[in-house]
Amino acid sequence: MQFPLCVVFIGVSPLYAAGSHDPDWPCVQRRVDTPSTAVMWPYQGENQGATEEPAPITAELAQLLALRRISLDEAEKAIDEAANGTPPLGRDDYNAIFADVFERLNQRRSLLMSGITRYARNQARMADEIDAMRNEIASLNAAETPDFDRIDQIEADLDWRERVFRDRALSLTYACETPVLLEKRLYAIAQMLAARIGD
């Protein structure tokens, strides 16, 4: 018997619009390695191919906005303060801020997704081990002279492994939420920044 790797449905982010099925990906959402910036950010910078260092004010704001401990209300307040500063932010500044926040959050998201995949593979191996132990118990019980000491030993080990497996499955379910939360934050920040361009 194998326990489901991910047992709680997690709402699908609007950024999960495409992607192929990955057999190693245990989450409800389809795996998309890099969200589409076009979904979130319709604006293009005048110097799209430039590799200039971002201005200090935009780099500092992007670093702040990418911090998960900063609430969205605090993020919006920081954007307002920067927008009303001297000199005021222009479209290229907002483009730079969004690009920087996207890069920071997407790197963090990629690391999380790699960790989730490794975790799920370990769960699959543990599920196989649990199945093998159950099969061994069934074989021992079917023997003409069952080895009850061996059966007791395997059953005790099996009970421990099943409890660990269930706990890990629950942790995996919670871990699956984290990339979605990062994407939702990125989408919300993009909307805040885009609203200032439209002002």
Side-chain angles (χ1 to χ4, degrees):
M1 176 180 177
Q2 290 192 13
F3 296 93
L5 292 179
C6 203
V7 294
V8 177
F9 180 79
I10 303 164
V12 178
S13 162
L15 306 185
Y16 277 112
S20 60
H21 177 68
D22 181 349
D24 289 329
W25 182 245
C27 303
V28 172
Q29 312 91 325
R30 275 194 271 175
R31 177 169 186 155
V32 178
D33 289 326
T34 302
S36 172
T37 57
V39 173
M40 297 172 281
W41 193 253
Y43 303 105
Q44 298 293 323
E46 294 178 4
N47 302 312
Q48 196 66 20
T51 57
E52 299 175 0
E53 286 292 319
I57 187 171
T58 60
E60 290 172 10
L61 181 56
Q63 183 177 11
L64 179 70
L65 298 177
L67 295 175
R68 289 183 63 193
R69 69 172 182 269
I70 302 298
S71 70
L72 290 178
D73 286 340
E74 292 171 322
E76 187 157 29
K77 182 178 178 182
I79 293 170
D80 282 336
E81 290 175 355
N84 297 323
T86 304
L89 298 179
R91 175 171 294 196
D92 282 346
D93 294 317
Y94 289 112
N95 280 324
I97 294 166
F98 169 76
D100 197 345
V101 173
F102 181 90
E103 182 67 19
R104 291 171 187 271
L105 291 183
N106 192 52
Q107 284 181 356
R108 198 173 306 161
R109 176 180 171 276
S110 295
L111 290 173
L112 286 166
M113 291 174 69
S114 296
I116 289 170
T117 299
R118 289 193 301 271
Y119 198 95
R121 287 172 182 162
N122 288 333
Q123 280 292 89
R125 282 194 291 271
M126 186 174 288
D128 288 341
E129 291 169 1
I130 288 171
D131 279 346
M133 294 172 74
R134 287 184 174 278
N135 290 335
E136 185 177 354
I137 290 172
S139 296
L140 289 169
N141 279 320
E144 188 173 333
T145 54
D147 183 347
F148 292 109
D149 288 339
R150 175 62 178 160
I151 291 172
D152 289 344
Q153 179 184 5
I154 297 173
E155 285 181 340
D157 191 16
L158 178 63
D159 179 65
W160 176 80
R161 285 175 183 265
E162 286 179 340
R163 281 188 282 113
V164 171
F165 186 93
R166 286 192 293 268
D167 289 344
R168 285 173 57 88
L170 184 59
S171 297
L172 182 59
T173 297
Y174 291 137
C176 283
E177 297 177 1
T178 309
V180 177
L181 293 175
L182 288 175
E183 291 162 19
K184 287 181 176 180
R185 178 178 185 86
L186 181 56
Y187 187 81
I189 289 171
Q191 295 301 298
M192 294 176 194
L193 294 169
R196 273 52 180 196
I197 291 180
D199 288 345

